[in-house]
């Protein structure tokens, strides 16, 4: 990165003293309910989506109908088919590489692991997996959620009856990406009106949410906790082990876990992390302690009076049994409330989960290829046979954006730059000075025919000339 000239430092603005919170806000924070509309935190505006909500087959069929002349439409369809095969060749190679480097970290492998990898080999494979995954997410039109943004979401008041704590420092590797944010409405009763009135507020929802994570080892995390809190590593290790004791059996810090979810509300992001601490809201604690404490105290006084007054031993035993039943009822109520919390968590994870681990990578590869093909086809359709100055590209992009809105009724931030980069690499677009020259449909179809023939020759040559893999490589291929 180029160095930037040093600018004069300006003094930080002085913060105004915090104003006392209104009573309604304090009441809602204690109860764990969303803030009233007049005190809601302003969200950043929802950006235009880069995702084109059509399949590649639908794009090809729709564009072919608008090309004048049956023959020209058939030529475009042929060019589209050749382009798809060309893109698929590159993605097949990328899929093989992704399976290979994910093999040592997969928690779902059902084959015997014969090969072992040195620590430096595993680290290199982990870094390459991380880089390729981020590349695919960008190609699939996902957007990264940075750590600061995730922290803000995790610290926000949840609109559900859950209070969940998540520590992002537990993770050695963490990628959170989202695609398409939309708003949905939710209604709750207002506690300051004795729950007689309701109000409606907006919830941000991720149409697709991708999470890749890897836990730090117990020793590594314990060293961080010891340094941060000034305690011995032995005490820190006990604390880390206690926090992680509820993790599922078989979950390992050597594995990398990948999840894809659909239609996930933003405020439910915290329930997707494996290390989370579920707690009662302050309102629920007050309600429980008031009912349990009051009922138990009344039961103690009542039972004591009955035992003292009882002359029959059977009556005394009956009073004690009644008190035990009251106490058991209060304890059962506590666990029933927690079970309701856990049921809400499980429903979110069950009904919104799309794919896990290797299946998630396969889904991501398919989506990235799909988006590339659609962007390339649309660019070729609108610019085929033309010579376009680079200064005109943004104007052409706006026309494409407007055409997509007119045709399909959706607003899309079309990525013409990415499509041009791929078409330039293919040779379908050539740069002459500051101008870009696009091949016609027929020329593009013929050009992709030549590229496909070159792919076939290259594959045949690799089969004949590649040396036999060693035992470990062969095992890796079989396991993958």
């Amino acid at each position: 990165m180029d160095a930037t000239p040093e600018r004069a430092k300006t003094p930080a603005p002085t913060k105004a003293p915090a104003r006392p919170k209104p009573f309604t806000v304090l009441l809602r924070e204690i109860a764990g309910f969303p803030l009233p509309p007049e005190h809601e935190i302003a969200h950043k505006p929802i950006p235009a989506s880069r995702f084109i909500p059509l399949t590649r087959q639908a794009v090809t069929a729709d564009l072919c109908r608008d090309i004048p002349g049956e023959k020209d439409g058939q030529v475009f369809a042929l060019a589209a088919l050749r382009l798809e095969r060309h893109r698929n060749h590159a993605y097949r190679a990328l899929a093989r590489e992704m399976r290979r480097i994910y093999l040592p970290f997969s928690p779902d492998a059902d084959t015997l692991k014969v090969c072992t990898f040195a620590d430096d080999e595993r680290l290199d494979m982990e870094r390459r997996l991380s880089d390729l995954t981020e590349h695919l997410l960008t190609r699939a039109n996902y957007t990264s959620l940075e750590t600061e943004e995730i922290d803000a979401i995790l610290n926000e008041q949840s609109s559900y009856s859950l209070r969940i704590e998540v520590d992002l420092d537990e993770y050695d590797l963490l990628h959170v990406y989202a695609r398409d944010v939309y708003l949905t409405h939710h209604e709750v009763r207002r506690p300051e009106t004795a729950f007689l009135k309701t109000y409606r507020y907006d919830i941000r929802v991720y149409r697709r949410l991708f999470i890749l994570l890897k836990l730090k080892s117990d020793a590594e995390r314990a060293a961080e906790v010891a340094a941060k809190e000034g305690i011995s590593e032995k005490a820190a290790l006990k604390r880390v082990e206690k926090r992680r004791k509820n993790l599922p059996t078989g979950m390992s810090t050597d594995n990398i876990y990948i999840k894809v979810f659909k239609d996930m509300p933003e405020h439910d992001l915290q329930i997707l992390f494996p290390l989370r601490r579920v707690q009662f809201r302050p309102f629920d604690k007050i309600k429980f302690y008031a009912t349990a404490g009051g009922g138990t105290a009344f039961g103690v006084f009542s039972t004591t009076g009955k035992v003292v007054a009882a002359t029959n031993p059977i009556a005394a035993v009956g009073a004690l049994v009644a008190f035990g039943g009251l106490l058991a009822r209060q304890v059962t109520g506590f666990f029933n409330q927690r079970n309701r919390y856990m049921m809400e968590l499980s429903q979110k994870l069950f009904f919104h989960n799309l794919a896990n681990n290797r299946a998630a990578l396969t889904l991501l590869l398919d989506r990235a290829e799909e988006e590339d093909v659609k962007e390339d086809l649309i660019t070729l359709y609108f610019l085929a046979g033309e010579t376009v100055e680079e200064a005109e590209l943004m104007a052409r992009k706006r026309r494409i954006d407007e055409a997509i809105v007119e045709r399909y009724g959706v607003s899309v931030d079309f990525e013409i730059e990415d499509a041009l980069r791929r078409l330039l690499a293919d040779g379908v677009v050539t740069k002459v000075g500051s101008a870009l020259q696009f091949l016609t449909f027929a020329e593009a179809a013929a050009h992709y025919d030549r590229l496909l023939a070159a792919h076939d020759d290259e594959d045949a040559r690799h089969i004949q000339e590649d040396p036999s893999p060693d035992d470990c490589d062969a095992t890796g291929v079989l396991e993958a």
Side-chain angles (χ1 to χ4, degrees):
M1 185 180 293
D2 297 333
T4 55
E6 210 174 300
R7 293 182 295 179
K9 296 183 179 179
T10 57
T14 305
K15 292 185 178 180
R19 293 183 298 175
K21 295 181 179 179
F23 174 72
T24 55
V25 174
L26 292 174
L27 182 61
R28 284 177 171 270
E29 289 182 348
I30 293 174
F33 289 105
L35 297 178
E38 61 271 18
H39 294 285
E40 283 182 344
I41 301 173
H43 290 286
K44 64 180 183 181
I46 297 177
S49 174
R50 296 175 294 152
F51 171 68
I52 304 169
L54 293 167
T55 65
R56 68 178 85 174
Q57 293 83 3
V59 169
T60 303
D62 184 67
L63 295 180
C64 281
R65 283 196 296 266
D66 285 351
I67 298 176
E70 181 179 352
K71 185 176 180 181
D72 288 338
Q74 292 175 350
V75 172
F76 176 77
L78 182 62
L81 181 61
R82 300 291 186 266
L83 187 151
E84 286 184 35
R85 287 186 56 194
H86 173 64
R87 290 283 174 266
N88 183 254
H89 182 272
Y91 272 96
R92 286 204 313 270
L94 183 56
R96 288 194 297 270
E97 175 67 3
M98 292 290 286
R99 288 195 296 268
R100 183 189 71 83
I101 58 179
Y102 185 56
L103 181 64
F105 309 104
S106 174
D108 301 329
D110 56 358
T111 54
L112 296 176
K113 293 185 178 180
V114 179
C115 295
T116 57
F117 299 92
D119 290 343
D120 56 343
E121 291 178 313
R122 287 179 60 89
L123 184 59
D124 289 341
M125 295 172 80
E126 180 182 323
R127 288 172 178 167
R128 179 154 177 76
L129 176 65
S130 176
D131 293 342
L132 285 180
T133 301
E134 289 189 288
H135 168 74
L136 284 173
L137 287 163
T138 303
R139 296 273 56 78
N141 290 329
Y142 280 74
T143 302
S144 173
L145 297 183
E146 302 299 333
T147 304
E148 296 78 10
E149 188 174 357
I150 298 174
D151 275 330
I153 295 171
L154 296 180
N155 293 328
E156 197 170 294
Q157 183 75 43
S158 174
S159 62
Y160 291 103
S161 55
L162 296 171
R163 185 182 181 87
I164 303 173
E165 294 181 0
V166 176
D167 186 1
L168 297 181
D169 292 333
E170 293 279 353
Y171 301 99
D172 185 37
L173 184 64
L174 179 62
H175 294 317
V176 181
Y177 279 72
R179 196 201 72 206
D180 289 354
V181 183
Y182 64 94
L183 295 178
T184 186
H185 304 296
H186 190 65
E187 286 188 356
V188 294
R189 294 194 175 272
R190 306 186 67 153
E192 64 270 19
T193 63
F195 300 98
L196 297 177
K197 294 183 179 180
T198 62
Y199 89 92
R200 196 179 190 189
Y201 66 101
D202 292 331
I203 295 177
R204 291 163 63 97
V205 181
Y206 300 118
R207 197 176 303 277
R208 292 294 182 268
L209 185 67
F210 179 97
I211 297 180
L212 180 148
L213 58 85
K214 179 176 181 289
L215 287 168
K216 294 177 180 176
S217 66
D218 291 357
E220 182 181 0
R221 182 60 183 144
E224 292 179 353
V225 172
K228 181 179 180 180
E229 301 188 10
I231 60 177
S232 66
E233 289 197 12
K234 185 176 180 180
L237 183 60
K238 288 183 178 179
R239 185 177 300 181
V240 170
E241 290 175 347
K242 180 180 179 181
R243 179 171 175 78
R244 297 184 175 188
K245 68 179 181 179
N246 292 326
L247 287 175
T249 303
M251 189 169 185
S252 171
T253 57
D254 293 330
N255 293 335
I256 294 177
Y257 299 88
I258 307 174
K259 307 283 182 182
V260 181
F261 299 92
K262 68 173 184 177
D263 299 320
M264 183 59 63
E266 185 181 68
H267 57 65
D268 284 341
L269 180 63
Q270 62 263 47
I271 74 175
L272 306 180
F273 291 89
L275 276 176
R276 56 182 180 267
R277 185 181 305 165
V278 182
Q279 296 180 334
F280 286 122
R281 299 173 300 172
F283 179 75
D284 291 327
K285 291 181 180 179
I286 294 172
K287 182 175 67 174
F288 171 75
Y289 289 133
T291 57
T296 303
F298 177 78
V300 168
F301 287 117
S302 176
T303 302
T304 303
K306 290 179 181 179
V307 171
V308 171
T311 57
N312 188 341
I314 297 178
V317 171
L320 291 174
V321 170
F323 172 70
L326 175 64
L327 186 62
R329 180 181 177 183
Q330 300 297 336
V331 174
T332 303
F334 176 87
F335 286 106
N336 286 342
Q337 180 77 343
R338 185 173 182 86
N339 288 339
R340 283 193 291 270
Y341 284 167
M342 301 310 296
M343 182 179 67
E344 189 170 353
L345 292 178
S346 64
Q347 287 177 346
K348 286 290 182 183
L349 297 178
F350 182 83
F351 291 105
H352 293 257
N353 183 243
L354 279 180
N356 303 308
N357 304 323
R358 276 186 56 176
L361 288 179
T362 302
L363 180 65
L364 180 60
L365 283 158
D366 180 71
R367 178 53 63 195
E369 180 183 349
E370 183 93 354
E371 293 302 294
D372 282 358
V373 171
K374 289 187 294 185
E375 291 169 1
D376 296 348
L377 287 177
I378 292 174
T379 302
L380 189 60
Y381 170 83
F382 281 97
L383 301 178
E386 296 190 29
T387 299
V388 182
E389 292 289 333
E390 288 183 311
E392 299 178 16
L393 282 178
M394 288 300 101
R396 296 301 184 98
K397 168 188 156 44
R398 286 192 293 272
R399 292 181 192 174
I400 295 175
D401 291 343
E402 293 168 0
I404 293 175
V405 173
E406 183 180 350
R407 283 172 175 268
Y408 312 117
V410 293
S411 178
V412 173
D413 182 15
F414 185 73
E415 293 191 300
I416 193 171
E417 298 89 350
D418 287 345
L420 285 176
R421 177 180 52 79
R422 291 187 294 270
L423 294 175
L424 281 166
D426 293 345
V428 175
V429 179
T430 54
K431 187 174 182 180
V432 180
S434 61
L436 298 171
Q437 295 180 348
F438 291 78
L439 298 182
T440 63
F441 296 152
E443 291 170 339
H447 182 75
Y448 279 117
D449 263 334
R450 292 190 291 272
L451 291 180
L452 291 174
H455 293 330
D456 293 339
D457 294 341
E458 182 183 1
D459 291 342
R461 187 174 64 254
H462 284 168
I463 293 174
Q464 295 174 358
E465 297 178 359
D466 278 1
S468 300
D470 58 29
D471 293 340
C472 225
D473 289 338
T475 303
V477 171
L478 292 174
E479 288 182 345

